């Protein structure tokens, strides 16, 4: 299994790199970072990080919950 550099993951980029509109690749798909929203959980157990992106291939906006599975995906910032 390929080891992923934590500094190249979506979760790290959301927390430290993304400022303004930034294009990035995840796999072979191109996205544009639009905004990051920190949404408090209803049960009071912390916050969800929601990443708003524009999907160039589907030509629509999407909202992703940056959980452990999605947040650990490797990305390339363009």
């Amino acid at each position: 299994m390929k080891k992923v550099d934590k500094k190249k993951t979506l979760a790290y980029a959301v927390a430290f790199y993304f400022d303004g509109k930034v294009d990035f690749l995840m796999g072979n798909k191109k996205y544009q970072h639009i905004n990051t929203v920190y949404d408090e959980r209803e049960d009071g157990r912390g916050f969800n990080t929601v990443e708003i992106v524009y999907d160039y291939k589907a030509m629509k906006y999407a909202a992703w919950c940056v959980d452990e599975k999605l947040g650990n995906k490797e990305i390339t910032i363009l």
Side-chain angles (χ1 to χ4, degrees):
M1 182 169 181
K2 179 182 169 188
K3 183 173 174 152
V4 177
D5 182 359
K6 184 177 180 176
K7 291 185 178 182
K8 294 181 179 180
T9 63
L10 179 62
Y12 193 87
V14 166
F16 298 107
Y17 292 143
F18 289 162
D19 184 26
K21 294 186 175 27
V22 178
D23 290 340
F24 66 97
L25 296 172
M26 185 163 49
N28 61 352
K29 291 181 79 175
K30 184 177 177 183
Y31 302 95
Q32 183 180 66
H33 159 78
I34 302 299
N35 198 5
T36 303
V37 179
Y38 300 98
D39 183 37
E40 186 173 0
R41 293 181 180 186
E42 288 184 25
D43 61 8
R45 293 185 306 136
F47 292 88
N48 285 325
T49 302
V50 179
E51 176 63 15
I52 311 299
V53 297
Y54 181 75
D55 182 336
Y56 283 103
K57 186 173 183 179
M59 295 189 310
K60 64 180 182 178
Y61 292 92
W64 298 338
C65 183
V66 183
D67 57 9
E68 196 170 300
K69 182 179 178 184
L70 183 62
N72 287 331
K73 293 209 177 211
E74 188 171 347
I75 68 166
T76 303
I77 297 174
L78 303 176

